[in-house]
Amino acid sequence: MLPLCPASEITEQQSKGFEIDGRGIFAVRKNDQLYVYENRCPHRGVPLEWMPDTFLDPEKQFIQCATHGALFTIDAGLCIAGPCNGTSLEPVNFKVIDGQLCIAPN
């Protein structure tokens, strides 16, 4: 498993992006649960963030694609509005090990 950061660095309703060997991923915490996804919009394959570590809409209720404005549920990555409606973000398997957010290598 590859450690990304201390899990505590991702606070409630916050997101954080990572680049590992050319692979973009991001993590979000909501309702004290962590969710990790590939940083790629299913519509065009572009990165999602507005600015570094900014993956959420202004109300921090949904993940939002900066390119098309598509909205995705945080807990399932399902697109509920936008050009990729009905598709989903690709989840990333992760574990918190000794307080560190870790993912399996590609």
Side-chain angles (χ1 to χ4, degrees):
M1 298 292 280
L2 297 171
L4 299 178
C5 72
S8 61
E9 275 188 17
I10 306 162
T11 58
E12 184 67 20
Q13 294 186 319
Q14 297 297 314
S15 55
K16 186 170 181 68
F18 304 91
E19 183 85 19
I20 300 163
D21 296 328
R23 178 184 182 199
I25 63 171
F26 69 100
V28 177
R29 186 182 295 272
K30 183 165 183 178
N31 297 327
D32 205 31
Q33 294 291 313
L34 281 170
Y35 303 92
V36 183
Y37 297 101
E38 297 284 341
N39 184 7
R40 188 174 58 249
C41 180
H43 178 232
R44 284 249 173 114
V46 296
L48 294 161
E49 71 266 46
W50 297 93
M51 298 183 310
D53 300 330
T54 308
F55 293 88
L56 302 178
D57 69 327
E59 294 80 28
K60 300 184 186 238
Q61 296 301 306
F62 299 100
I63 299 163
Q64 186 170 24
C65 176
T67 303
H68 304 102
L71 296 175
F72 302 87
T73 61
I74 293 172
D75 63 343
L78 176 66
C79 183
I80 58 164
C84 49
N85 197 14
T87 62
S88 296
L89 298 173
E90 185 70 33
V92 173
N93 289 326
F94 72 93
K95 289 184 181 180
V96 176
I97 301 171
D98 296 329
Q100 295 286 315
L101 176 60
C102 302
I103 63 164
N106 238 2

